[in-house]
């Protein structure tokens, strides 16, 4: 069916939201959190659904920080440059052992790093500050008396109970990603299983008559579907599980059926292509004739201004531009925060940095531009950024080259070299 003249005008007369209005409208609609319990060994990079507090102090016993001797500090009080104290060694404590009786005045117990300080002792003298009295006098190694060459004070070389963490202390907030440090803490406190948010299941549907599957031979006028695979990566980076559905040609009927099913089956659906004002832009038509709620279909940003988001059956539909860079930025700006919110993250936006433009950026625009950039730190420590290459929304190579997006506010002339800009880091350096 050919679009009517009035439909056509409506396509152009969209109400563009600012990026902040659009993100705000979206994030406040997301309320579908679900939780599962999994073994800790499978929890890396998952988001915790429980706040984790220390269920005991750490350390939970007085712990030696050195290899040396557990002593009463009082017994070393008179030690000076040439005056050593002599102590009787009454035994040895390995890590994990508990000494059987209190240490008395004049006694020392050999102790290893990490072992529990025996009762009666209140300090540890490091091994290097002692010598073996018998070996000194007779040349034989008999380990029952030592000379102490340094005074120690009470608590020296001992980790007191709760030095590192006190009982009840909040350690990991709800929604945090479980990385190496979090995994170590959870293990420390005995979490064999952990409550995490389920990974949102996200369907990907690319649309376009020109699309070939990646196994197909290239044909004149056609291109392989690369967006689906880019989105597959972006969804995983945001903690979701992607489902690649078959791409559809620009067929309104087929698309409608597929979308209706997908929005029942999955937690979210992303489409690419067909959201602009062309003759075959079937996503626009779909969102005009559905029983869902359209949040926006134009955003004051570039690339990705036709990014469209709505809800059907309580599930978000992200209809992104087919242009690879626009699709990438649309996913970054809307899909990522929404998926993070579904995983309990209260602040789902990346933390921007600031840096200096390394070269002038002369593009005039009335919309905010998120430019694919390469950021780095200079020798003087300053952060600098430059465009990552081909700055067109149809470009793919600059997505690969970019490690950030830098923000160019609406301007008639662009920005001069040296201007300070906001930078949204996309990946870590390695
Ligand atoms: P559209 O948003 O449908 O107008 O598409 C805009 C541009 O993106 C066109 O040049 C399409 O050929 C291209 N494109 C659309 N879908 C994809 C895709 N899945 N992978 C790569 N390029 C695409
Ligand atoms: Mg298309």
């Amino acid at each position: 069916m050919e679009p009517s003249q009035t439909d056509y005008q409506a396509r152009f007369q969209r109400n563009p939201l600012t990026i902040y209005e659009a993100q705000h409208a979206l994030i406040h609609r997301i309320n579908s959190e679900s939780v599962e319990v999994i073994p800790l060994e499978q929890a890396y990079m998952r988001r915790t659904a429980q706040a984790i507090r220390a269920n005991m102090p750490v350390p939970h016993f007085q712990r030696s920080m050195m290899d040396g001797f557990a002593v009463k500090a009082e017994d070393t009080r008179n030690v000076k440059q040439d005056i050593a104290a002599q102590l009787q060694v009454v035994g040895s404590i390995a890590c994990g052992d508990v000494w059987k009786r209190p240490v008395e005045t004049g006694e020392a117990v050999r102790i290893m790093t990490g072992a529990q300080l025996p009762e009666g002792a209140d300090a540890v003298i490091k091994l290097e500050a002692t010598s073996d009295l018998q070996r000194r006098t007779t040349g034989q190694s008999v380990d029952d008396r030592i000379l102490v060459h340094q005074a120690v004070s009470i608590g020296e070389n001992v980790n007191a109970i709760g030095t590192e963490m006190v009982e009840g202390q909040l350690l990991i907030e709800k929604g945090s990603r479980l990385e190496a440090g979090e995994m170590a803490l959870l293990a420390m406190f005995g979490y064999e299983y952990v409550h995490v948010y389920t990974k949102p299941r996200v369907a990907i549907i690319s649309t376009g008559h020109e699309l070939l599957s990646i196994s197909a031979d290239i044909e004149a006028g056609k291109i392989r579907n690369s967006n689906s695979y880019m989105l597959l990566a972006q969804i995983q980076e945001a903690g979701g599980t992607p489902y690649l559905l078959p791409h559809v040609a620009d067929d309104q009927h087929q698309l409608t059926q597929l979308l209706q099913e997908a929005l029942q089956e999955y937690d979210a659906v992303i489409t690419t292509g067909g959201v602009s004002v062309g003759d075959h832009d079937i996503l626009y038509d779909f969102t005009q004739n559905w029983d869902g709620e359209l949040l926006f279909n134009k955003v004051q940003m570039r690339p990705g201004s036709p990014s469209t988001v709505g809800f059907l059956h309580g599930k978000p539909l992200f209809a992104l531009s087919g242009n690879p860079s626009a699709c990438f930025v649309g996913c970054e700006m809307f899909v990522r925060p929404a998926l993070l919110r579904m995983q309990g993250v209260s602040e789902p936006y990346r933390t921007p940095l600031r840096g200096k433009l390394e070269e002038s950026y002369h593009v005039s625009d009335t919309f905010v531009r998120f430019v694919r950039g390469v950021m780095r730190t200079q020798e003087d420590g300053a952060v600098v950024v430059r465009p990552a290459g081909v700055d067109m929304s149809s470009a793919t190579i600059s997505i690969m080259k970019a490690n950030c997006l830098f923000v160019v506010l609406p301007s008639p002339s662009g920005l001069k070299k040296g201007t300070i800009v906001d930078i949204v880091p996309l990946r870590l350096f390695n």
Side-chain angles (χ1 to χ4, degrees):
M1 198 179 65
E2 287 300 308
S4 71
Q5 197 56 39
T6 42
D7 281 350
Y8 233 94
Q9 277 159 4
R11 286 168 183 232
F12 291 101
Q13 289 161 358
R14 299 184 191 186
N15 169 30
L17 302 190
T18 66
I19 173 84
Y20 307 103
E21 289 166 342
Q23 286 180 326
H24 189 267
L26 165 62
I27 284 308
H28 287 87
R29 280 296 310 266
I30 303 284
N31 51 14
S32 54
E33 292 174 353
S34 79
V35 174
E36 63 183 326
V37 181
I38 58 170
L40 182 59
E41 66 218 59
Q42 290 166 18
Y44 175 58
M45 292 305 251
R46 297 295 295 271
R47 299 270 173 181
T48 167
Q50 51 188 148
I52 307 289
R53 291 180 180 277
N55 56 21
M56 60 179 179
V58 175
H60 64 94
F61 54 86
Q62 294 204 80
R63 202 171 179 214
S64 176
M65 292 160 70
M66 293 278 175
D67 280 335
F69 293 92
V71 297
K72 287 180 180 296
E74 170 66 19
D75 286 350
T76 69
R77 190 162 52 101
N78 296 325
V79 173
K80 294 209 178 62
Q81 197 139 43
D82 292 321
I83 310 168
Q86 189 178 313
L87 296 175
Q88 185 72 31
V89 179
V90 293
S92 176
I93 322 167
C95 247
D97 285 351
V98 176
W99 184 240
K100 47 191 183 290
R101 65 166 180 79
V103 174
E104 307 284 347
T105 299
E107 291 182 347
V109 183
R110 181 83 172 88
I111 192 165
M112 312 303 150
T113 304
Q116 178 170 332
L117 194 73
E119 222 180 286
D122 54 23
V124 170
I125 297 170
K126 58 179 187 241
L127 204 58
E128 302 89 293
T130 65
S131 59
D132 182 330
L133 180 67
Q134 293 300 321
R135 192 186 287 133
R136 263 196 163 188
T137 52
T138 68
Q140 289 165 350
S141 182
V142 179
D143 205 18
D144 65 354
R145 272 189 299 164
I146 52 161
L147 290 175
V148 174
H149 304 288
Q150 254 174 40
V152 282
S153 49
I154 291 176
E156 207 167 318
N157 299 323
V158 176
N159 249 336
I161 290 172
T163 312
E164 189 182 328
M165 291 172 255
V166 298
E167 187 169 353
Q169 185 179 333
L170 178 65
L171 299 172
I172 307 175
E173 289 190 48
K174 225 170 131 170
S176 302
R177 195 163 59 191
L178 301 177
E179 299 191 36
E182 288 81 0
M183 295 286 283
L185 286 177
L186 285 163
M188 204 170 201
F189 293 110
Y191 285 84
E192 191 182 357
Y193 293 91
V194 43
H195 289 68
V196 293
Y197 290 102
T198 52
K199 292 163 82 72
R201 301 166 68 250
V202 186
I204 304 169
I205 304 172
S206 280
T207 71
H209 175 64
E210 72 280 30
L211 298 181
L212 298 171
S213 57
I214 57 170
S215 58
D217 287 336
I218 208 73
E219 290 175 36
K222 305 222 177 211
I223 56 168
R224 294 198 184 94
N225 168 17
S226 54
N227 284 350
S228 287
Y229 297 86
M230 175 179 71
L231 290 169
L232 177 131
Q234 289 183 279
I235 291 166
Q236 289 180 83
E237 192 274 337
T241 305
Y243 292 83
L244 280 184
L245 302 195
H247 63 259
V248 290
D250 299 306
D251 178 311
Q252 186 72 59
H253 179 72
Q254 197 192 349
L255 179 83
T256 301
Q257 198 169 350
L258 195 59
L259 277 179
Q260 292 283 1
E261 282 167 17
L263 282 160
Q264 300 273 3
E265 165 76 17
Y266 299 96
D267 299 320
V269 176
I270 309 178
T271 65
T272 83
V275 283
S276 350
V277 293
D279 287 355
H280 301 284
D281 285 335
I282 52 178
L283 255 304
Y284 176 82
D285 295 333
F286 176 78
T287 56
Q288 295 301 302
N289 303 301
W290 66 343
D291 50 1
E293 183 198 346
L294 183 68
L295 293 191
F296 53 86
N297 62 8
K298 194 161 177 84
V299 184
Q300 295 170 30
M301 68 172 206
R302 243 182 289 270
S305 64
S307 297
T308 297
V309 176
F311 280 77
L312 185 65
H313 316 307
K315 313 274 189 66
L317 166 67
F318 302 92
L320 306 178
S321 168
N323 275 314
S325 287
C327 177
F328 178 84
V329 172
C331 183
E332 174 64 32
M333 293 298 155
F334 303 115
V335 179
R336 186 176 192 274
L339 295 187
L340 292 185
R341 183 46 79 83
M342 289 178 192
Q343 296 165 84
V345 180
S346 53
E347 281 296 324
Y349 305 111
R350 297 194 199 263
T351 309
L353 309 173
R354 309 209 83 203
K356 242 183 212 174
L357 266 184
E358 260 187 295
E359 47 189 77
S360 295
Y361 181 80
H362 288 307
V363 177
S364 97
D365 205 329
T366 52
F367 286 178
V368 176
R369 297 183 73 90
F370 294 97
V371 185
R372 297 171 301 289
V374 177
M375 61 179 274
R376 63 188 181 90
T377 43
Q378 285 182 158
E379 234 163 69
D380 64 2
V383 174
V384 292
V385 65
R386 63 181 159 77
V390 190
D391 185 36
M392 297 182 295
S393 65
S394 58
T396 306
I397 179 120
S398 38
I399 302 169
M400 187 193 72
K401 297 220 160 139
N403 60 12
C404 66
L405 298 172
F406 68 86
V407 184
V408 179
L409 296 176
S411 142
S413 57
L415 299 176
K416 287 209 185 84
K417 177 178 171 177
T419 308
I420 306 279
V421 291
D422 276 344
I423 301 172
V424 183
L426 295 173
R427 49 177 158 176
L428 298 175
F429 309 94
N430 56 2

